[in-house]
Amino acid sequence: MIGYTTIGSKNLDKAVSFYDALLELVGGKRLMEMDRIKFYGTDAGGAMLAVCTPHDNNDQSCGNGQQVAIPGGSIEGAQALYNKAIELGATDAGEPGQRFDFFYGSYVYDLDGNKLCFFHMT
């Protein structure tokens, strides 16, 4: 249902270093890239996360209420993503824990303030 989601960055080099290291924990890698945009995924044809500088050359900004949710594959995987993101400089937005009977999740803001959720459906 989702082809790709794009999030903006003020410093693409820093963002690429962050997402290269973070997404490798779930088998993600850069699948396609151009000067101002990098697409991450696990295989060609699957859903991707793109990191870019804004096309209009205006400042990057984050949408209130927007977030990208990345499955960890397990509770331990979701915890590992959270820990790695914090290690890479992300800011805590909700420590890992069981949120509902069926949902384990954690939340961070990446280096540009984009909100990420790392989760596992339990």
Side-chain angles (χ1 to χ4, degrees), residues 50-118:
V51 180
C52 69
T53 55
H55 186 264
D56 64 6
N57 294 319
N58 288 325
D59 291 339
Q60 175 271 348
S61 63
C62 301
N64 188 21
Q66 296 176 340
Q67 74 178 6
V68 174
I70 300 171
S74 65
I75 288 174
E76 295 79 15
Q79 176 74 50
L81 284 164
Y82 173 86
N83 291 340
K84 185 66 168 184
I86 295 296
E87 175 188 318
L88 293 168
T91 304
D92 173 65
E95 291 185 357
Q98 198 73 38
R99 306 291 187 213
F100 306 101
D101 291 344
F102 57 90
F103 184 86
Y104 179 92
S106 61
Y107 304 87
V108 300
Y109 292 107
D110 75 2
L111 305 179
D112 289 292
N114 296 298
K115 192 171 184 183
L116 305 174
C117 171
F118 309 120

